[in-house]
């Protein structure tokens, strides 16, 4: 499973509390299933209706199973 938690909805920035709540819920679900997770902070880029490039901060959380750690 891979979850991408966005920080902007409908063109408006989401509060830090809401973002943290979403992140915590995903991580608890993964841990509850007995797995580990990797969380990465990243940028999601796209183009708006006017053809302008826009970027937003996102958090990517993936469960980890059967991986080899080096």
């Amino acid at each position: 499973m891979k979850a991408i938690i966005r920080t902007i909805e409908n063109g408006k920035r989401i509060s830090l509390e809401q973002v943290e709540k979403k992140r915590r819920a995903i991580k608890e679900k993964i841990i509850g299933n007995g797995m580990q997770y990797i969380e990465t902070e990243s940028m999601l880029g796209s183009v708006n209706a006017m053809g302008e490039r826009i970027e937003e901060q996102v958090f990517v959380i993936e469960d980890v199973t059967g991986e080899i750690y080096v």
Side-chain angles (χ1 to χ4, degrees):
M1 176 179 86
K2 180 190 288 190
I4 300 175
I5 294 127
R6 300 184 68 171
T7 57
I8 297 175
E9 286 182 0
N10 298 323
K12 295 184 181 179
R13 185 165 293 283
I14 301 171
S15 74
L16 182 59
E17 287 179 1
Q18 289 176 311
V19 173
E20 290 297 322
K21 185 177 178 181
K22 290 179 181 184
R23 289 172 61 200
R24 195 170 32 254
I26 293 294
K27 290 188 267 187
E28 287 176 4
K29 181 178 179 181
I30 292 171
I31 289 174
N33 288 332
M35 298 185 196
Q36 297 174 319
Y37 64 86
I38 294 176
E39 181 176 17
T40 308
E41 184 176 346
S42 194
M43 296 297 287
L44 175 66
S46 61
V47 178
N48 67 11
M50 297 172 63
E52 301 168 326
R53 181 181 172 157
I54 55 174
E55 292 181 334
E56 73 174 280
Q57 178 184 16
V58 296
F59 295 91
V60 181
I61 303 173
E62 299 180 73
D63 58 5
V64 178
T65 55
E67 299 297 327
I68 298 173
Y69 300 99
V70 184

